[in-house]
Amino acid sequence: MDFKGSSIPSSMRKLLVEKLSADFREAVSMRTVAVPTPGDAELFVGINASDINYSAGRYDPSVKPPFDAGFEGVGEVVGLGLSASSQYTVGDTVAYFASGAFAEYTVVPAKESVHVPAAKPEFLTLLVSGATAYIALKRLGELAKGETVLVTAAAGGTGQFAVQFAKRAGCHVIGTCSSDEKAGFLKSIGCDRPINYTAEDLAKTLRKEYPRGIDVAYESVGGSVLEVAVNSLANKGRLIVIGFISGYRSASGIPPFKGGATLPVKLLQKSAAACLYGATGKCTLYL
């Protein structure tokens, strides 16, 4: 074991899911536990992350409380297993994807970690949010240069990546957000047309400024926003649903969608496709 003089306490605090609930504060509690010891090929890191759906029991109903909370983290390496010493050194900063991220210290397999420049919030979402946007747009969106892409909740974790990936693909990018401050941020990362939906009517703006329609919609809000995205699709447009955050605090986790019964008809009329991409990596396609 290599700690290189790191001062590691014998106990730490972590969040434990003790009750399934869509209200994360209600689902978790703080517990003081012993600091885990890394074995061969593992890393010791401090982290940040959260996932309301997991604590509500939606991702894997077979998992019963109590269980650790959090999926992705970024932090400093303070201890190494033997084989991990060839890849990392104490003091390195890494991002990782593993369960139990809401703890002051955690043990992570080296193969599930990647180097990052610093322990900053902008690197925290690299593995989950970044990978979601990349896989969804590349494999399902099939972006082509010159296409128009709509990203909802564009200032959020995965939305930021989607904006930048679409822009690098040579597309015209529209991003929805809830404030002028966020609109300014979206412009700074390449968004061509930020739409602050608290100041502008999203549906009317899209109809007026993009009468030909949207080639690809990267949608994570659900409900009425999903309906606007469907109605705004161009002929042969692609709708990628990667979440529905507007419903996560509800009992079912799914927001109401008025156009559910007519969705197949709307897609058929436009020869469009809808892909549902989530934690399982599965996609359902409607033509």
Side-chain angles (χ1 to χ4, degrees):
M1 187 73 63
D2 180 8
F3 293 98
K4 293 191 182 299
S6 294
S7 178
I8 301 175
S10 59
S11 64
M12 67 170 189
R13 294 178 300 168
K14 74 174 181 179
L15 290 181
L16 195 69
V17 177
E18 296 195 303
K19 176 184 177 181
L20 297 181
S21 173
D23 185 332
F24 192 73
R25 290 180 181 272
E26 183 180 276
V28 301
S29 62
M30 185 77 73
R31 288 288 180 263
T32 298
V33 299
V35 172
T37 302
D40 190 37
E42 293 179 319
L43 300 175
F44 228 168
V45 295
I47 39 68
N48 281 293
S50 174
D51 193 341
I52 294 174
N53 282 317
Y54 193 57
S55 64
R58 294 174 186 142
Y59 276 173
D60 187 355
S62 68
V63 178
K64 304 299 181 184
F67 55 84
D68 293 340
F71 284 120
E72 58 182 340
V74 60
E76 181 183 341
V77 177
V78 295
L80 292 164
L82 293 179
S83 13
S85 299
S86 63
Q87 300 171 257
Y88 300 98
T89 186
V90 169
D92 283 349
T93 305
V94 298
Y96 79 93
F97 177 65
S99 61
F102 262 141
E104 292 179 308
Y105 295 87
T106 190
V107 175
V108 181
K111 65 182 180 180
E112 296 177 9
S113 309
V114 296
H115 283 283
V116 292
K120 295 183 177 180
E122 50 262 46
F123 300 114
L124 180 61
T125 59
L126 185 65
L127 297 183
V128 178
S129 296
T132 296
Y134 179 80
I135 294 171
L137 290 175
K138 185 175 179 64
R139 292 183 56 187
L140 308 178
E142 299 180 335
L143 301 184
K145 186 176 181 180
E147 288 191 314
T148 300
V149 177
L150 170 67
V151 179
T152 62
T158 190
Q160 296 179 35
F161 285 102
V163 167
Q164 295 174 80
F165 287 146
K167 193 61 184 175
R168 287 181 64 86
C171 297
H172 177 90
V173 184
I174 309 161
T176 72
C177 61
S178 60
S179 70
D180 290 337
E181 181 182 7
K182 291 179 179 179
F185 167 71
L186 290 177
K187 286 183 178 179
S188 75
I189 61 172
C191 183
D192 298 290
R193 178 56 166 101
I195 299 177
N196 175 1
Y197 57 78
T198 65
E200 298 183 70
D201 185 294
L202 178 59
K204 290 181 179 178
T205 299
L206 291 176
R207 282 197 302 269
K208 179 182 178 181
E209 298 184 18
Y210 302 93
R212 193 187 65 81
I214 305 301
D215 296 302
V216 177
Y218 184 84
E219 217 291 285
S220 62
V221 178
S224 61
V225 177
L226 172 60
E227 190 165 4
V228 170
V230 171
N231 293 337
S232 301
L233 285 176
N235 289 334
K236 298 185 179 179
R238 287 89 72 199
L239 170 68
I240 304 171
V241 176
I242 57 98
F244 19 82
I245 56 178
S246 63
Y248 287 169
R249 294 294 297 272
S250 67
S252 68
I254 303 173
F257 176 55
K258 296 180 181 178
T262 60
L263 179 59
V265 175
K266 290 180 178 180
L267 295 175
L268 183 62
Q269 289 174 336
K270 298 180 179 183
S271 296
C275 298
L276 312 181
Y277 182 80
T280 62
K282 294 180 180 178
C283 170
T284 302
L285 183 65
Y286 300 89
L287 293 178

